[in-house]
Amino acid sequence: MKIVAGQHRCVLFDVDGTIAETEGQAHLPAFNAAMAEAGLPWRWDRKVYQRLLRTTGGFERLMRFAAESGDKIDDAATLLRQVHQSKNRHFAERMESGVVQCRAGFRELIMTLARHDIQWGVVTTTSRANWEALWRYSCATMGLPAPEVIVCGEDVAAKKPDPEAYHLALKRLGLPAAVCCAIEDSRNGLLAAKGAGLTVAIVRSEFFAEEECSEADLVVRELTELVERVATTQTAR
Ligand code: XBP
Ligand code: MG
């Protein structure tokens, strides 16, 4: 798989795990802080969180854990909406503190795409506020060009692995799947992008290092490996 100038018009990036290791560095501690603040006895370690990540969407993840726990909570949806909002506030605070950096090669990849006149976009199931915090404190500070399209969790009725977010991004771009490709780290993301007809590269991340991804067109350890795959002509796979 190559990303070819003149053939590819836009590269669509997943956010959590792909642009930065936000799950372990920010979402997980933020969930634990929010659950403690709400007086809930739940605390998630990395092993539990890895399993819970199979459910995309932070609110949906909380609802699933509540159902699994068997704990009786009056009006769980209302309480967990508040916990989710508080989690996102903690997330933003962590971003502002500067503890989360973009992954190795991200800046170089975006700059290389720009030099080849290839746009980039964001297709994520995270909340828009989380993307904006990551952009403001970790991406924009690197002097990157802004993404051409941004699709977040609030923009879709069905989150990944449903392809809706990718369909919407393509619609907003006015481009067919054939001239775009996606970079994802999870199986849910891979299935969503494939469902929209995209070529997909998987970049391995902390929580999805062993994830089954046989449908992927390319699997790399780091984004740096994708930089050398941006080319002016399609020579080899
Ligand atoms: C990201 C997610 C999100 C984040 C939390 O998936 O599943 O739920 O974990 O974000 P992807 P919110 O990397 O495929 O976009 O709490 O804002 O939902
Ligand atoms: Mg991801």
Side-chain angles (χ1 to χ4, degrees):
M1 173 184 164
K2 291 226 178 239
I3 302 167
V4 184
Q7 177 185 331
H8 288 114
R9 302 277 305 280
C10 189
V11 177
L12 298 168
F13 286 74
D14 168 52
V15 171
D16 297 299
T18 298
I19 294 181
E21 286 284 12
T22 42
E23 294 293 3
Q25 293 171 7
H27 284 295
L28 176 56
F31 270 115
N32 282 326
M35 293 187 295
E37 226 169 58
L40 287 165
W42 309 333
R43 298 296 176 274
W44 296 343
D45 61 20
R46 300 181 98 75
K47 197 159 174 247
V48 167
Y49 195 61
Q50 182 165 34
R51 179 175 57 78
L52 294 176
L53 276 172
R54 298 204 176 280
T55 303
T56 52
F59 171 70
E60 291 84 348
R61 194 168 299 142
L62 283 162
M63 288 293 280
R64 177 185 160 176
F65 187 82
E68 279 177 8
S69 75
D71 292 348
K72 283 252 169 294
I73 305 172
D74 290 338
D75 197 2
T78 301
L79 174 70
L80 297 182
R81 279 262 172 240
Q82 288 162 5
V83 173
H84 184 235
Q85 282 166 9
S86 150
K87 186 276 288 180
N88 284 352
R89 280 195 296 275
H90 284 284
F91 180 93
E93 281 168 18
R94 289 188 75 81
M95 289 294 147
E96 191 171 358
S97 76
V99 292
V100 182
Q101 304 293 315
C102 291
R103 290 188 60 169
F106 177 65
R107 180 177 191 282
E108 203 186 346
L109 182 54
I110 296 295
M111 294 316 234
T112 305
L113 292 173
R115 272 200 305 280
H116 284 80
D117 222 8
I118 300 170
Q119 298 172 333
W120 74 288
V122 162
V123 180
T124 176
T125 50
T126 204
S127 310
R128 186 162 287 262
N130 298 340
W131 157 250
E132 285 173 354
L134 179 68
W135 170 255
R136 183 165 173 197
Y137 299 113
S138 306
C139 304
T141 50
M142 295 191 295
L144 300 180
E148 193 63 26
V149 68
I150 301 167
V151 174
C152 296
E154 294 93 332
D155 300 335
V156 292
K159 293 182 176 169
K160 299 172 189 176
D162 193 286
E164 182 182 348
Y166 278 102
H167 281 306
L168 182 59
L170 294 172
K171 189 172 164 205
R172 286 182 180 171
L173 286 166
L175 293 174
V179 299
C180 300
C181 59
I183 307 178
E184 276 284 354
D185 71 310
S186 70
R187 178 152 191 82
N188 280 329
L190 169 63
L191 295 178
K194 277 284 162 197
L198 289 153
T199 303
V200 185
I202 285 284
V203 59
R204 291 298 194 182
S205 65
E206 178 186 7
F207 286 106
F208 297 115
E210 308 298 329
E211 192 87 326
E212 149 70 18
C213 57
S214 51
E215 300 91 340
D217 297 275
L218 177 71
V219 181
V220 295
R221 291 263 145 216
E222 292 296 345
L223 295 172
T224 42
E225 294 164 62
L226 292 174
V227 175
E228 64 211 40
R229 290 186 169 265
V230 182
T232 42
T233 49
Q234 178 88 51
T235 45
R237 279 178 67 83

